[in-house]
Amino acid sequence: MAARDYGQYCGVTQALELVGERWALLIVRDLLVGPRRYSELASGLHRIPSNILAARLKELQAAGVIRRIPRSRVIVYELTAYGRELEPIVLGLSAWGFKAMDSPRPEQIVTPDSMTISLRTAFRPDAAAALPPTSYTGSFGPAQLHIAVDGPALGVQRGGGPADLVFASDAQIRTLLTGELDSVRVLSGDPRLLDRFAATFRLAA
Amino acid sequence: MAARDYGQYCGVTQALELVGERWALLIVRDLLVGPRRYSELASGLHRIPSNILAARLKELQAAGVIRRIPRSRVIVYELTAYGRELEPIVLGLSAWGFKAMDSPRPEQIVTPDSMTISLRTAFRPDAAAALPPTSYTGSFGPAQLHIAVDGPALGVQRGGGPADLVFASDAQIRTLLTGELDSVRVLSGDPRLLDRFAATFRLAA
DNA sequence: CGGGATCCCTTAGGATACTG
DNA sequence: CAGTATCCTAAGGGATCCCG
């Protein structure tokens, strides 16, 4: 509830008062993938202190960005319609941030939700629309995702499963998304589908 | 130089490590309007402590977002090309934040730079392209701006000067940009140009 | 066990004064 | 004008504990 304010009447300051606190936009990032429970958020944001997560969830609720929903036995948090409007901003930050990144440092982790957002950031609907529907199962370090591309539509689900191409990339997301696919190990499927993947997902280097 | 990190290999966390600290994006906001000196930034962000401004400027330089330029006698800060790529994100936050705003509280100020960004946020190039070139001089509380609309191009300059329409709006930016123009006082020019202004600049309510 | 609340300590941020 | 220096408060970090 702190919301220390900037003393200006401006959309940018207002936005930063709502979602500019530390960790807030990362909670939004993960909720953009889908509703999440407290413990799921805590593990996806593994370094967030528990008191801070609780505080942010309250602030984001008060701001009308998220909603707390008791579902039989468990509680989930989900974005409101207003919160979902942050998607282009979060994806914009994702694309912008990637340009400043080099190789992952050893202590840096990749979570399924952050990887999902990275894939959405890199997804090129125009390129995909020109290609046949294709499914991929990728292991990005510990995060395994099932990726379904059908025309300009992208679906990403946690977990593996059969797919046209199954590959593992050992957390080298960056090389994966910049088109350097040397380090990728193909586990099943036609290796030439890797080129299709590279045409479908692309981040500027 | 703190750049407390989130421990994740993700574009969003990387972006937030570069520009997610308090005040950082507001410095970027003002520099999007043009190069600014230390004292200009300090007065545009009137509540920022001097030590924090100095710290942020160093961090943003180290991040490659801004550049420090000694110009005969004075020093100015300007965005790098990489920093300028934040424009759509800042404008996105501006539009998103406006939706959560109500009337300005008495202690909230409007600065020329923040007002310029608000106008850029509200500018509708498509609507403007269909209208004849028009110039406006508006007083938004203490901030006076000269606004030149020529087809899909928008130019905003500090200060007044002759224009097709001169008006004053007493800090009621919100009503101005949501189309409620009752409170606007026309000082010179054809009052019907107010409707043209309303068609050119529009924020969702 | 999920969903927090509490405690203590560290550090960033705020207010103000001062200097090259 | 363009910053440092200082002091103090409040937010963040880390661990633990609690409750339904």
Side-chain angles (χ1 to χ4, degrees):
Chain A
M1 268 306 199
R4 301 168 285 170
D5 92 29
Y6 290 102
Q8 302 195 357
Y9 189 77
C10 162
V12 184
T13 53
Q14 172 71 26
L16 293 177
E17 285 163 14
L18 297 181
V19 296
E21 299 284 324
R22 192 162 161 76
W23 296 106
L25 273 179
L26 296 179
I27 294 172
V28 172
R29 178 197 69 183
D30 286 3
L31 292 182
L32 279 170
V33 178
R36 291 287 179 266
R37 301 157 58 159
Y38 187 94
S39 53
E40 293 174 320
L41 291 170
S43 67
L45 276 32
H46 70 297
R47 304 229 304 224
I48 195 174
S50 171
N51 56 343
I52 299 296
L53 176 55
R56 290 292 170 274
L57 289 173
K58 283 184 185 139
E59 293 160 10
L60 290 172
Q61 276 178 83
V65 176
I66 69 173
R67 189 183 298 125
R68 181 184 197 267
I69 301 181
R71 268 189 196 164
S72 59
R73 308 296 303 165
V74 298
I75 291 165
V76 299
Y77 296 90
E78 66 175 24
L79 293 174
T80 62
Y82 186 50
R84 260 179 273 119
E85 292 179 29
L86 286 167
E87 176 163 359
I89 291 166
V90 172
L91 295 184
L93 285 169
S94 176
W96 187 82
F98 259 109
K99 295 187 186 177
M101 281 168 64
D102 47 340
S103 301
R105 279 172 280 120
E107 79 279 11
Q108 290 186 311
I109 68 163
V110 174
T111 68
D113 287 346
S114 78
M115 189 63 211
T116 300
I117 292 295
S118 298
L119 286 168
R120 281 199 207 165
T121 304
F123 184 59
R124 306 195 301 165
D126 295 349
L131 295 166
T134 314
S135 63
Y136 309 87
T137 285
S139 296
F140 310 91
Q144 190 177 42
L145 298 174
H146 185 266
I147 303 160
V149 178
D150 187 358
L154 168 67
V156 182
Q157 307 279 343
R158 292 179 74 138
D164 299 327
L165 179 70
V166 179
F167 64 87
S169 159
D170 281 340
Q172 288 298 91
I173 301 100
R174 183 164 184 281
T175 66
L176 183 67
L177 298 179
T178 54
E180 308 155 38
L181 300 175
D182 320 336
S183 67
V184 175
R185 299 195 317 273
V186 172
L187 303 178
S188 86
D190 185 343
R192 286 173 300 183
L193 288 178
L194 266 182
D195 294 328
R196 189 180 294 176
F197 184 91
T200 306
F201 299 93
R202 178 65 55 96
L203 286 172
Chain B
M1 268 312 198
R4 301 168 284 169
D5 93 29
Y6 290 102
Q8 302 195 358
Y9 189 77
C10 161
V12 184
T13 54
Q14 172 71 24
L16 293 177
E17 285 163 14
L18 297 182
V19 296
E21 300 285 323
R22 192 162 162 74
W23 296 106
L25 273 180
L26 296 179
I27 294 171
V28 171
R29 178 198 69 183
D30 285 3
L31 293 181
L32 279 170
V33 178
R36 291 288 179 267
R37 300 157 61 161
Y38 186 94
S39 53
E40 292 174 320
L41 291 170
S43 67
L45 276 33
H46 69 297
R47 304 230 305 224
I48 196 175
S50 175
N51 56 343
I52 300 296
L53 176 55
R56 290 293 170 273
L57 289 173
K58 282 185 186 139
E59 293 160 9
L60 290 171
Q61 276 179 81
V65 175
I66 69 174
R67 190 183 297 125
R68 182 184 195 267
I69 302 180
R71 271 189 195 165
S72 60
R73 307 298 303 164
V74 298
I75 291 165
V76 299
Y77 295 89
E78 65 176 24
L79 293 173
T80 62
Y82 186 50
R84 258 179 275 119
E85 292 179 28
L86 286 167
E87 177 164 0
I89 291 166
V90 171
L91 294 185
L93 285 169
S94 176
W96 187 82
F98 259 108
K99 296 187 187 178
M101 280 166 67
D102 47 341
S103 301
R105 280 172 278 122
E107 80 279 10
Q108 291 186 311
I109 66 164
V110 175
T111 68
D113 287 347
S114 78
M115 189 63 211
T116 300
I117 292 296
S118 297
L119 286 168
R120 281 199 206 164
T121 305
F123 184 58
R124 307 195 300 166
D126 295 348
L131 296 166
T134 314
S135 62
Y136 308 87
T137 286
S139 295
F140 310 91
Q144 189 176 42
L145 297 175
H146 186 266
I147 303 160
V149 178
D150 188 357
L154 168 66
V156 182
Q157 306 280 341
R158 292 178 75 137
D164 299 327
L165 180 71
V166 180
F167 63 88
S169 157
D170 281 340
Q172 288 298 90
I173 301 98
R174 184 165 184 281
T175 65
L176 183 66
L177 299 180
T178 54
E180 308 156 39
L181 301 174
D182 320 335
S183 67
V184 175
R185 299 195 317 273
V186 172
L187 303 179
S188 86
D190 185 343
R192 285 174 300 185
L193 288 177
L194 265 182
D195 294 327
R196 190 181 293 174
F197 184 91
T200 307
F201 299 92
R202 178 65 53 96
L203 286 172

